[in-house]
Amino acid sequence: AVSSVTVTGAFSADYDNYLITVTGGTFTTTLVWGVFQFSSAHTTGYYGAAQFIDTAGTATAQGTSNLGRLLVTRSSTTTAGVSSWSINVANPTSAVRKSIWGQCSGGNMVTHGGYYDSTSSFTQFVLSPSAGTLTGGTIRVYGYRN
C-alpha cells in the first residue's frame, strides 16, 4: 500500500499524446478521489471537473480550480476498490497547456476532464488517492502521434 505512485520516463517528445491505463488496483478508503499530477512539486494550476455515478445511480460532481491535482477516479460508496482507470494526456512534453480527460469504472463510473495550465515539459506523472492508500494494480502508458 502506497500513498502515491510516480511513473518516471513515461512521456517523451517521440509522441504527441498518451493513454494511461490502470487496472487491478484498489483504494483502502471508500469515497476517496484518485488524483493525477505531472509532479508533486506542481501545487497549483489544475482546472477541471469529474462526475461520479455510484451503483445506485446517484451522480455527484466535483470541480478543481487552480488546485495541485486533477480528479480522475473515485472509490465507491460501498467498497474501497477501483478496478480500472483510463486517462488521456495531450502534449505533456510540448510548450502548451496540457489537456487531461478520461473515465474509470468498477462498481461506479467517473468521467473527468480538465487541463494543467503550464507550458512546462513533463516526462513523469503521479497517481494517488486523496486520502488513504493505493494497493496493487498495473499501470500502462501508450504513446500515440497526431
Side-chain angles (χ1 to χ4, degrees):
V2 295
S3 59
S4 68
V5 175
T6 301
V7 180
T8 60
F11 308 131
S12 76
D14 291 340
Y15 299 99
D16 302 304
N17 305 298
Y18 289 83
L19 170 63
I20 301 164
T21 62
V22 182
T23 55
T26 58
F27 292 131
T28 58
T29 306
T30 60
L31 294 176
V32 74
W33 285 95
V35 297
F36 175 93
Q37 296 172 287
F38 283 104
S39 166
S40 57
H42 291 83
T43 58
T44 60
Y46 290 88
Y47 298 85
Q51 182 166 351
F52 167 73
I53 302 169
D54 67 20
T55 55
T58 304
T60 303
Q62 179 73 43
T64 57
S65 178
N66 203 28
L67 296 180
R69 59 196 183 184
L70 189 68
L71 307 174
V72 293
T73 189
R74 188 171 183 193
S75 63
S76 87
T77 56
T78 57
T79 178
V82 172
S83 63
S84 64
W85 313 7
S86 173
I87 305 165
N88 292 277
V89 179
N91 304 305
T93 62
S94 299
V96 298
R97 180 184 286 169
K98 284 58 173 131
S99 296
I100 304 136
W101 71 96
Q103 64 185 35
C104 84
S105 63
N108 58 57
M109 178 64 186
V110 174
T111 301
H112 63 87
Y115 66 92
Y116 182 48
D117 195 15
S118 172
T119 58
S120 297
S121 177
F122 296 97
T123 59
Q124 70 176 24
F125 64 90
V126 180
L127 298 175
S128 61
S130 59
T133 58
L134 179 64
T135 303
T138 301
I139 300 170
R140 292 184 175 89
V141 180
Y142 303 94
Y144 52 101
R145 292 183 181 95
N146 287 335

